[in-house]
């Protein structure tokens, strides 16, 4: 799914807006979280609803990734269900020209289950400075 420049600008503005709205909420249901030193975002969508990546509707219990900077790095989002240290789900923009947003990757998770959403810059087999944000299903 290649984004046009106008759509990419919309995604960027939506991500900043979503980040601003959720930054002040300790128990944010759905959120975006930026990669270390910028370049893209990871998304957690707790319940079905409007798609912050701009594709219409997003499924619940899902993750997505957007790479907005042509810097040679992709964005990978990893989901740790239960915060037990095991990665249960991941999506990536690896190998795509930016700007690019992944499809959503979803699957039912029991309500209230703690999750950790990792946002990682990736290039080849290299991971760069993973950052995370905690939420709940």
């Amino acid at each position: 799914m290649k984004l046009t420049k106008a759509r990419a600008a919309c995604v960027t503005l939506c991500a900043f807006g979503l980040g601003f709205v959720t930054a002040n909420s300790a128990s944010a249901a759905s959120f975006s979280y930026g990669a270390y030193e910028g370049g893209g975002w990871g998304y957690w969508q707790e319940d079905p609803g409007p798609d912050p990546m701009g594709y219409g509707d997003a499924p619940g219990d899902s993750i997505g990734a957007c790479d907005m900077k042509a810097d040679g790095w992709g964005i990978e989002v990893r989901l740790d269900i239960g915060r037990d240290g095991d990665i249960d789900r991941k999506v990536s923009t690896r190998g795509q020209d930016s700007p690019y947003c992944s499809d959503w990757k979803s699957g039912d998770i029991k309500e209230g289950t703690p999750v950790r959403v990792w946002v990682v810059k990736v290039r080849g087999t290299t991971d760069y400075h993973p950052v995370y944000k905690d939420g709940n299903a």
Side-chain angles (χ1 to χ4, degrees):
M1 284 184 217
K2 189 99 166 139
L3 296 177
T4 65
K5 287 183 181 182
R7 193 169 184 188
C10 178
V11 168
T12 302
L13 291 173
C14 290
F16 282 124
L18 183 61
F20 178 75
V21 169
T22 60
N24 297 320
S25 174
S27 61
S30 298
F31 56 80
S32 65
Y33 199 61
Y36 182 74
E37 295 181 344
W41 298 271
Y43 295 93
W44 163 248
Q45 184 76 19
E46 180 183 17
D47 295 318
D51 185 345
M53 294 191 295
Y55 297 134
D57 290 325
D61 298 334
S62 60
I63 55 173
C66 282
D67 180 6
M68 304 312 290
K69 188 174 181 184
D71 58 2
W73 291 93
I75 302 296
E76 187 167 278
V77 177
R78 302 169 184 165
L79 181 65
D80 176 358
I81 301 169
R83 296 187 207 148
D84 59 5
D86 293 328
I87 301 303
D88 301 288
R89 194 177 296 165
K90 61 177 140 169
V91 296
S92 180
T93 67
R94 194 186 306 256
Q96 304 293 329
D97 292 333
S98 59
Y100 177 83
C101 290
S102 71
D103 289 330
W104 289 99
K105 189 157 189 181
S106 65
D108 193 36
I109 304 172
K110 183 180 175 186
E111 291 298 310
T113 301
V115 297
R116 177 164 287 159
V117 179
W118 290 91
V119 181
V120 186
K121 287 180 133 176
V122 293
R123 178 174 19 202
T125 59
T126 302
D127 291 5
Y128 180 67
H129 207 291
V131 294
Y132 69 87
K133 185 166 181 171
D134 291 337
N136 292 297

